[in-house]
């Protein structure tokens, strides 16, 4: 008779199957149980390499769903400036999405080229994902489900919505797309 798998292995298995497109819904009980913290959610960088957010533990995270053809696209410049000025305590994380108005039609390489050449982006960019609805990436499920993050149910309403996470992985605040990265409400939480 085979021995039962330890819980940690089961959670790793669920995270792996969730990442590689398991038939199970992300919001099914087994998937929700696998998301133990924001740091346990697998993500792909802009080059498709699997990683997670644990490498940023100890810094605040400003997680932004981005798009290259949006009226808010110039915020890329402010996000880069904010990242550059505060990189000792803040990491800006850009997650491209085509969910709103088809404003991010490019491939990952096109997105990266655009961001690097037009805005000199140095902050981490990730693979294009879905951020709303049933097919939302597990990261955005976590950010917009109070059962997972502790208080917030607001999903992005457009490109360039911002979620601020503290140094220990707790969701601090949600900012709508029209909130400038240098808004006082954001800056005050960086001190």
């Amino acid at each position: 008779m085979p021995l039962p798998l330890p819980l940690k292995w089961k959670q790793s298995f669920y995270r792996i199957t969730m990442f590689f497109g398991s038939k199970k819904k992300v919001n099914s009980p087994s998937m929700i149980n696998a998301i133990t913290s924001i740091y346990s959610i697998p993500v792909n960088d802009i080059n498709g390499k699997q990683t997670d957010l644990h490498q940023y533990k100890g810094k605040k995270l400003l997680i932004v769903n981005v798009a290259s053809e949006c009226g808010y696209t110039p915020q890329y410049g402010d996000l880069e400036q904010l990242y550059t000025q505060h990189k000792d305590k803040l990491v800006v994380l850009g997650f491209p999405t085509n969910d709103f108005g088809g404003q991010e039609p490019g491939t990952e390489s096109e997105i990266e080229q655009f961001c690097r050449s037009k805005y000199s982006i140095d902050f981490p960019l990730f693979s294009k994902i879905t951020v709303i609805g049933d097919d939302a990436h597990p990261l955005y499920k976590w950010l917009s489900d109070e059962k997972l993050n502790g208080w917030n149910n607001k999903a992005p309403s457009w490109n360039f919505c911002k979620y601020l996470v503290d140094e220990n992985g707790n969701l601090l605040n949600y900012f709508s797309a029209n909130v400038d990265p240098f808004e006082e409400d954001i800056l005050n939480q960086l001190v």
Side-chain angles (χ1 to χ4, degrees), residues 172-183:
L172 291 176
N173 215 327
Y174 164 84
F175 302 97
S176 62
N178 64 344
V179 173
D180 185 273
F182 281 96
E183 185 80 28

Side-chain angles (χ1 to χ4, degrees), residues 72-157:
Y72 293 116
T73 299
Q75 284 190 21
Y76 266 129
D78 288 338
L79 290 165
E80 177 60 27
Q81 187 178 355
L82 184 73
Y83 172 64
T84 300
Q85 290 177 2
H86 299 279
K87 66 168 49 176
D88 59 322
K89 58 186 163 199
L90 172 74
V91 180
V92 175
L93 305 174
F95 287 88
T97 183
N98 200 38
D99 290 352
F100 303 103
Q103 295 179 347
E104 188 52 87
T107 64
E108 277 83 358
S109 61
E110 291 168 336
I111 294 165
E112 182 178 32
Q113 171 64 27
F114 171 81
C115 291
R116 307 275 188 234
S117 64
K118 177 109 174 145
Y119 293 101
S120 301
I121 298 302
D122 192 38
F123 63 78
L125 292 169
F126 295 84
S127 292
K128 188 160 61 168
I129 60 172
T130 300
V131 299
I132 55 172
D134 290 341
D135 294 329
H137 187 278
L139 174 62
Y140 276 82
K141 290 279 190 185
W142 187 90
L143 291 169
S144 61
D145 185 338
E146 70 178 319
K147 292 179 203 123
L148 299 174
N149 66 49
W151 65 272
N152 180 57
N153 280 325
K154 290 183 183 176
S157 56

